[in-house]
Amino acid sequence: MPELRTEILVIGAGPAGIAAAVSAERAGARALLVDMQAEPGGQIWRGQWARPTLAPARQWLDALRGSPVDARYGLRLVDFAEPGLAVFDTAQGAVRVRCERLVIATGARERQLPFPGWTLPGVFGAGGLQVLVKNGWPVKGRRVVVAGSGPLLLAAAATLRAAGAEIACIAEQRRTRDLARFALSLAPNPGKCLQAAILRTKLAGVPYRRNAWVERADGAGRVESICLRRGARSERIECDALAVGFGLVPNTEIARLLGCALHDGAVVVDEHQHSSVPGVYCAGEICGIGGVDQALVQGEIAGRAAAGAATASFRLNIARSRSAHFARALRDAFVLRDELRNLAGDDTLLCRCENVTFAQVRGCRSQREARLHARLGMGHCQARICGAAGEFLFGWDAEATVRPPLAPSRLSCFTVVRSESTRQESP
Amino acid sequence: MKTDVLIIGGGIVGCAIAERLAREGIAACLVERDVVGGAATAASMGHLVVLDDDPEELSLSAYSCARWNELAASLPAAAEYRRIGTLWIARTEAELAEAERKRERLVAAGIAAERVSAAQLQVLEPALAATLVGGLRVPADAAIYPPVAAMWLAQRAIDAGARLRCGVAVEAIGDREVLLSDRSRIGARHIVVANGCAAPALLRGVPVRRRKGHLLITTRMQPAVHHQLIELGYMQSAHGTNTESVAFNVQPRATGQLLLGSTRQFDDHASEVTPRLLQRLVARATEYLPGLTQMTALRAWAGFRPATPDHRPLIGPWPSCDGVWLACGHEGLGVTTALGTADLLAAQLLGQELPFDAAPYAPARFAASSEHCHVV
Amino acid sequence: MSSEVRLFIDGAEFRVPAGISVAAALRHAGYEATRRAFDASPRAAFCGMGVCFECRVRIDGSERLGCLERVTDDMDIRCDA
């Protein structure tokens, strides 16, 4: 198995990871940046590597190109074979990386809530369809409903529209007054206001429904229509695709495997982005959902701190407090409404991997009980989807123990390590 | 409500005892601190196997496997009971000779067992390495999904009038009563300690040690394996006193997944998976099933077997404490022997005729190490 | 750089734009579902970011995620994962 060595291993090549790796190198350390995607940029900067259109993306991706950072893609973490020795699965087989310190910048995924028809082809995550389109998924001339909650819906709709999709409507589950409060909260943040204004222009003429959510999706073999609930009214909308998401959930699996302390679903870090585990730094959405600006700031701090450089710069701290303000406003504005807990029927799947229905988990008091007695979360995604759903739907603890392999991996990833630090075994 | 028998521990053994007693009309109460079948039961393979290494192990496991077979038709599909048979695999002529001795012992006990040549091995299990020299096939052995089987037993107990209390732990055993973690007490004429590795925390001197094990399960697209495959060196691993050992032990699940075992460690008390042991487990499995390296691992986990010094369970009265009974220390055989354990304990507790000799399992064999029970 | 790549999906030849993901290539080739769950229900890409594993396919013999992989010339994609 090939083995690489580095001083600082940065896992995740979105904005936070890129900023961390580049900043670590600038501070004089050697960094290896890895990502499971085929190129850098994470979700927010998908497609920017080949054709940058956003100023900060261009700036940081150029910085990455021009830096001596060793960047590798298509690597997915399996486990740590021993402390400081990461094992990755790749299309070509397993790869080991030996490192002294670690920066975890694994971003966030969308929270999905089950409703009848959510497993039909043509139903996507909202950000999910957005990134698929950025990687060439054809939507030209397709009629798409964008639904769920949060500012990501607008960004996704704008991307889809720019790629030629017809946006049938955008449905935001939150009430009008909460959204107005969120808009006001952006006032101290001119960058965010500008982004919002640009999105409004890009989405001119698209119906935007508040207090509205998708009740079900129907179709033979793929989605053909959805039912949109708005107060007492339910409306059927014909469509070729549904892009739906209910906010973001930090991808904390790697941090949890290493034992990093969490609070409210996010990794706890100090002012140097250092987690509760020595030598492990975390940056970006895994420290709490706050958007790209926060991710870049935290990435810079984490990279510098991991390289042993000072981090208490005035600029970084101002940026950090502004980002934290945005993160709080975001969380307060897009609280999920109770009706979303009652979308699923008895035969709606909660676990897509193992086909576990709501009826099968009735009476279970925890994610673990549902796993043991009904196979919930026992499949490929390892409860990444149903865990976040169960947390909202039933108040289950989604932060259950994570175990290797962190994702399904070929067995050759578990080849015996024979190194200086491995105890010699008697025959 | 009056409780005749309070059972501590909702693992498969505790559930089986509750079910057995409830069917007798006994007012039973089962107390589980977390989830039914959530500890050693959940971590186990669910191999229902007749083991013959000593006559006592043979009588308990053979009796229990027969009882599982009787229940097979009433088990729910999710319990995944399947008579897949066991194929004991020999790598050397010496192991083949051991296979023959094993066959003789099993046949003498009325268990069908047949020798398998190297050529037959390749026909039965084409995925096995061609260098293996033969083996022994025990067709009646079975596999089960233990947490669902445990819950099914618990539900049968409830249907027969037993009470189940989950999410509350027994903190101490007193005189004909227990103290719970919610500060309440439950009085009972008899108290059965069936909480596996946690028994010594309640009763000082119960000789149960934690023996860590690892399992790994693959995705559903795997090379076809039909039997539970175990290396003949397994019993050396199981009954040895080595701090650490690994043996090839693979089970095809009803889902089409392969469950890969097994490891044994005495001195590792961390509940996390130990990567080094996982590596050794996979390396060992690959020696027997070379095609595994191309396959996909889905999950791995670790658990603790409750081991006694002589590898036999503790079933019967705890001598130093009136009204306290043990049903623990089954090490890796708790799922296999749960039903036999329940029958034996219930017969002793109710003064009925014993299904088989109780003496080899009597906790009194370790009486020298026992002390008086805690007083609440 | 050629603007198209040639690849094979379940044995049939297709030409798709270069640089796109395998998941996108499957859609270009007309696939709605790219996998069957074990109850035979049709499934396709969902999360788009390597989390849900719904878009898994076999690429050149090994199980990969369509949303994470880029198309390459002569790639052999099988929708039986």
Side-chain angles (χ1 to χ4, degrees):
Chain A
M1 193 187 297
E3 187 170 310
L4 307 169
R5 276 170 189 274
T6 187
E7 196 177 338
I8 299 170
L9 170 63
V10 181
I11 302 180
I18 293 169
V22 169
S23 303
E25 287 272 358
R26 283 176 182 162
R30 278 176 53 222
L32 172 64
L33 175 66
V34 300
D35 198 290
M36 65 183 184
Q37 314 277 351
E39 59 186 38
Q43 309 310 335
I44 188 105
W45 290 346
R46 278 261 198 137
Q48 294 285 308
W49 181 245
R51 281 178 297 278
T53 54
L54 306 166
R58 184 191 302 272
Q59 177 202 328
W60 280 103
L61 291 169
D62 282 350
L64 178 62
R65 275 199 182 88
S67 90
V69 169
D70 182 5
R72 295 171 187 243
Y73 307 104
L75 279 76
R76 183 162 200 149
L77 187 74
V78 176
D79 189 14
F80 286 85
E82 52 186 67
L85 183 60
V87 180
F88 293 91
D89 200 6
T90 79
Q92 288 75 42
V95 175
R96 285 195 196 114
V97 178
R98 214 171 266 287
C99 64
E100 291 163 32
R101 288 175 302 285
L102 186 64
V103 178
I104 308 173
T106 40
R109 57 175 170 266
E110 288 180 272
R111 187 190 299 277
Q112 294 299 342
L113 301 177
F115 53 87
W118 76 303
T119 60
L120 282 171
V123 177
F124 305 90
L129 184 55
Q130 183 187 26
V131 293
L132 283 165
V133 165
K134 286 177 177 178
N135 286 144
W137 185 284
V139 283
K140 198 172 170 62
R142 300 263 159 178
R143 195 172 148 80
V144 185
V145 172
V146 179
S149 198
L152 180 60
L153 301 186
L154 301 177
T159 301
L160 302 179
R161 197 182 204 198
E166 176 201 344
I167 307 298
C169 79
I170 301 169
E172 164 62 56
Q173 57 93 33
R174 208 57 208 146
R175 289 175 186 80
T176 315
R177 62 165 189 277
D178 300 322
L179 295 171
R181 208 180 308 136
F182 178 66
L184 278 177
S185 74
L186 294 183
N189 190 332
K192 294 284 177 203
C193 287
L194 181 63
Q195 283 168 25
I198 291 171
L199 279 178
R200 271 198 300 276
T201 313
K202 286 183 175 169
L203 292 169
V206 172
Y208 184 77
R209 313 264 168 83
R210 299 176 183 86
N211 298 311
W213 62 93
V214 173
E215 279 186 315
R216 56 180 301 115
D218 296 287
R222 67 174 186 88
V223 64
E224 290 164 351
S225 68
I226 59 110
C227 283
L228 193 70
R229 164 71 58 178
R230 214 177 163 195
R233 287 209 345 258
S234 181
E235 175 190 3
R236 180 169 292 277
I237 301 175
E238 312 257 307
C239 60
D240 302 306
L242 167 65
V244 60
F246 295 92
L248 300 176
V249 185
N251 289 321
T252 55
E253 284 75 16
I254 297 174
R256 278 148 62 200
L257 181 74
L258 291 168
C260 297
L262 264 63
H263 178 71
D264 253 358
V267 182
V268 176
V269 289
D270 66 13
E271 71 270 28
H272 309 292
Q273 300 298 132
H274 193 262
S275 75
S276 62
V277 175
V280 178
Y281 298 80
C282 294
E285 304 290 65
I286 62 165
C287 305
I289 304 303
V292 63
D293 300 340
Q294 173 170 303
L296 286 168
V297 173
Q298 292 185 354
E300 279 191 80
I301 295 173
R304 289 183 58 81
T311 59
S313 105
F314 178 71
R315 182 179 66 85
L316 289 180
N317 281 326
I318 293 285
R320 183 214 284 269
S321 89
R322 184 183 291 166
S323 300
H325 173 77
F326 172 68
R328 269 195 308 276
L330 191 65
R331 223 169 70 161
D332 295 346
F334 295 99
V335 173
L336 298 179
R337 62 200 305 144
D338 286 340
E339 290 94 327
L340 298 172
R341 292 194 173 88
N342 305 316
L343 299 178
D346 274 2
D347 58 352
T348 304
L349 295 184
L350 174 55
C351 169
R352 301 169 65 105
C353 299
E354 290 292 314
N355 282 27
V356 181
T357 63
F358 275 72
Q360 285 172 288
V361 303
R362 184 158 303 124
C364 290
R365 294 163 308 143
S366 65
Q367 181 88 14
R368 184 170 143 72
E369 187 171 357
R371 177 160 59 82
L372 289 175
H373 293 155
R375 303 189 64 84
L376 184 81
M378 277 201 174
H380 272 68
C381 93
Q382 301 181 344
R384 283 172 171 83
I385 302 292
C386 66
E391 189 182 31
F392 170 72
L393 294 168
F394 310 119
W396 288 347
D397 180 11
E399 289 162 26
T401 324
V402 285
R403 293 174 300 211
L406 281 175
S409 311
R410 69 192 80 201
L411 274 162
S412 53
C413 292
F414 297 95
T415 309
V416 175
V417 178
R418 298 213 180 278
S419 68
E420 61 275 17
S421 52
T422 304
R423 195 154 39 95
Q424 202 60 43
E425 288 157 10
S426 52
Chain B
M1 193 184 101
K2 189 171 96 15
T3 299
D4 294 325
V5 182
L6 183 128
I7 301 137
I8 304 170
I12 198 157
V13 171
C15 292
I17 292 168
E19 192 263 354
R20 178 68 171 73
L21 292 173
R23 276 197 289 117
E24 295 281 347
I26 305 296
C29 177
L30 179 61
V31 180
E32 163 54 45
R33 64 181 172 185
D34 183 18
V35 174
V36 167
T41 302
S44 72
M45 244 184 170
H47 184 204
L48 304 177
V49 57
V50 178
L51 291 182
D52 56 279
D53 286 71
D54 69 54
E56 289 74 30
E57 191 173 50
L58 179 55
S59 60
L60 176 60
S61 60
Y63 175 90
S64 299
C65 284
R67 286 277 287 108
W68 276 116
N69 192 36
E70 287 164 27
L71 285 186
S74 28
L75 284 165
E80 296 176 6
Y81 177 93
R82 295 192 309 149
R83 294 185 86 175
I84 54 177
T86 302
L87 200 49
W88 296 88
I89 317 272
R91 288 217 293 191
T92 61
E93 290 304 320
E95 285 185 357
L96 211 51
E98 172 54 27
E100 178 53 24
R101 288 191 292 276
K102 194 175 186 62
R103 190 191 67 80
E104 286 163 7
R105 287 193 297 266
L106 289 172
V107 169
I111 308 291
E114 62 216 36
R115 279 281 299 276
V116 173
S117 69
Q120 287 168 319
L121 204 56
Q122 287 304 310
V123 174
L124 287 172
E125 296 289 356
L128 281 171
T131 50
L132 300 165
V133 300
L136 180 76
R137 183 167 173 263
V138 184
D141 285 351
I144 200 166
Y145 179 58
V148 167
M151 192 63 223
W152 178 78
L153 287 166
Q155 190 57 51
R156 292 236 302 192
I158 293 164
D159 293 346
R163 279 193 302 155
L164 169 63
R165 292 200 57 188
C166 281
V168 62
V170 171
E171 302 247 294
I173 296 172
D175 184 19
R176 311 267 170 189
E177 69 169 5
V178 299
L179 173 67
L180 300 178
S181 51
D182 63 7
R183 312 322 291 167
S184 67
R185 290 161 192 262
I186 301 178
R189 288 203 297 132
H190 302 281
I191 294 159
V192 179
V193 178
N195 58 354
C197 290
L202 283 179
L203 289 176
R204 254 195 305 245
V206 172
V208 170
R209 275 174 87 190
R210 303 212 287 177
R211 202 171 189 193
K212 188 172 177 176
H214 289 82
L215 289 175
L216 181 149
I217 196 160
T218 67
T219 57
R220 291 173 191 243
M221 292 178 56
Q222 304 304 327
V225 169
H226 310 285
H227 299 78
Q228 176 107 17
L229 305 176
I230 313 186
E231 65 169 285
L232 272 153
Y234 175 82
M235 290 320 298
Q236 237 174 318
S237 164
H239 279 188
T241 49
N242 286 349
T243 320
E244 187 176 299
S245 66
V246 176
F248 168 70
N249 187 355
V250 166
Q251 180 185 92
R253 296 300 311 170
T255 51
Q257 297 169 281
L258 291 184
L259 191 50
L260 273 54
S262 57
T263 71
R264 288 180 143 80
Q265 290 165 278
F266 266 125
D267 296 329
D268 184 346
H269 291 171
S271 60
E272 292 85 14
V273 164
T274 311
R276 191 171 48 80
L277 268 289
L278 215 50
Q279 293 159 15
R280 287 190 61 191
L281 183 159
V282 170
R284 191 70 173 173
T286 312
E287 288 172 29
Y288 288 81
L289 291 169
L292 277 180
T293 46
Q294 294 314 307
M295 300 305 143
T296 305
L298 182 62
R299 276 177 297 121
W301 61 92
F304 296 99
R305 305 174 182 89
T308 64
D310 60 6
H311 304 286
R312 289 205 301 266
L314 303 159
I315 308 167
W318 182 235
S320 51
C321 213
D322 270 358
V324 174
W325 303 75
L326 297 192
C328 56
H330 292 74
E331 194 165 342
L333 272 182
V335 177
T336 293
T337 63
L339 300 176
T341 298
D343 284 357
L344 184 61
L345 189 90
Q348 293 180 79
L349 200 146
L350 302 173
Q352 298 171 344
E353 189 191 339
L354 302 180
F356 47 89
D357 184 12
Y361 319 102
R365 69 190 190 275
F366 298 112
S369 62
S370 74
E371 293 174 21
H372 287 287
C373 57
H374 293 197
V375 174
V376 178
Chain C
M1 190 177 117
S2 154
S3 60
E4 279 196 337
V5 300
R6 182 193 67 160
L7 45 72
F8 299 89
I9 304 175
D10 292 333
E13 185 179 323
F14 290 93
R15 287 182 182 277
V16 298
I20 69 173
S21 69
V22 168
L26 285 158
R27 190 68 200 91
H28 274 280
Y31 277 71
E32 298 278 0
T34 54
R35 191 175 80 77
R36 297 272 162 188
F38 57 85
D39 68 346
S41 64
R43 300 290 174 85
F46 175 61
C47 80
M49 46 188 87
V51 172
C52 74
F53 290 78
E54 288 282 24
C55 68
R56 63 185 185 264
V57 289
R58 262 192 317 133
I59 300 177
D60 299 329
S62 70
E63 189 180 303
R64 312 298 303 167
L65 295 184
C67 70
L68 295 184
E69 303 289 328
R70 291 301 163 82
V71 292
T72 56
D73 260 320
D74 294 329
M75 193 176 242
D76 179 40
I77 303 165
R78 304 269 163 179
C79 296
D80 59 0

